[in-house]
Amino acid sequence: MKRFLFLILLFQFSCFVQAQKIQLQTGDLLFQKMNCGELCEAIHAVTKGYQGNDFSHLGLVLIENDSVFILEAAGNAVRKVTLEEFSKNTTTTMFIGRVKKKYEKLIPQVISFSKEQLGIPYDDDYLYDNGKYYCSELIYDAFLNAYGKPFFELQPMTFKQPETNVFFPAWVAYYNDLKIEIPEGKPGCNPGGISTSKKIKIIGKLN
């Protein structure tokens, strides 16, 4: 019994050590579960990420001069922030996604495209291809541009409570403020869906 427990502890320690050795690379994707109240809760209710985890934001890693930056669509526009600034978006562990080896050649063009979008307004409407970007939309288009065809998938968006025909009250209020219709069924993407893509691998976590 003692030997069995010892082997379990040894295995756990080995996994821990391996996790500590993970180094971020340019082109990695960081997935976050943000705390943005009812809107985030509504997003989590209808989108599921890697191993059932809830994700409501993601960014693209950029290493420059040994410093880690994140390219993201957040706040008012597409922007470049430090990893420390990006980490303030979440109080939970972030997950690290990395494209599989055969797609690594896409990364330079993905980064170049994303940099060209710096300053493009944030897409408060959550409508694809309207001249603005929300977080996963930026990542979708960056890989689309590099791959020459869809790399990730667009899916019909829903703003309704699961297994009902009723919109989440938070989304009703949100789009009433914008004075536009809720884009139910329109094509879109989300961090959870991207995290489950077969073209990437979740390689670890980042506290």
Side-chain angles (χ1 to χ4, degrees), residues 120-154:
I120 296 294
Y122 183 78
D123 188 3
D124 294 298
D125 304 333
Y126 298 108
L127 288 169
Y128 181 65
D129 199 24
N130 64 347
K132 302 185 288 184
Y133 280 116
Y134 55 85
C135 67
S136 52
E137 184 182 15
L138 172 66
I139 302 302
Y140 177 89
D141 268 9
F143 278 90
L144 171 66
N145 176 267
Y147 198 45
K149 57 184 178 181
F151 187 81
F152 299 115
E153 294 183 9
L154 294 178

Side-chain angles (χ1 to χ4, degrees), residues 12-23:
Q12 291 176 334
F13 178 76
S14 175
C15 291
F16 173 79
V17 170
Q18 289 177 11
Q20 299 308 301
K21 289 181 179 179
I22 294 175
Q23 292 187 328

Side-chain angles (χ1 to χ4, degrees), residues 33-34 39-48 54-56:
K33 179 180 180 180
M34 297 179 66
L39 285 182
C40 277
E41 291 174 6
I43 293 171
H44 297 155
V46 297
T47 64
K48 287 302 176 185
D54 292 325
F55 300 123
S56 42

Side-chain angles (χ1 to χ4, degrees), residues 62-129:
L62 171 64
I63 311 294
E64 288 184 330
N65 300 320
D66 297 324
S67 296
V68 183
F69 297 96
I70 308 297
L71 299 170
E72 63 169 350
N76 297 319
V78 178
R79 62 191 186 183
K80 172 184 168 184
V81 299
T82 64
L83 176 61
E84 181 181 3
E85 290 175 288
F86 182 78
S87 299
K88 292 177 182 177
N89 291 335
T90 182
T91 57
T92 61
T93 299
M94 295 180 286
F95 284 70
I96 307 165
R98 182 170 295 169
V99 296
K100 293 183 176 178
K101 193 170 184 62
K102 65 180 179 179
Y103 302 116
E104 289 178 352
K105 61 185 178 183
L106 301 176
I107 296 304
Q109 195 168 338
V110 167
I111 294 296
S112 178
F113 178 90
S114 299
K115 283 184 172 181
E116 291 172 1
Q117 311 314 308
L118 291 173
I120 296 294
Y122 183 78
D123 188 3
D124 294 298
D125 304 333
Y126 298 108
L127 288 169
Y128 181 65
D129 199 24

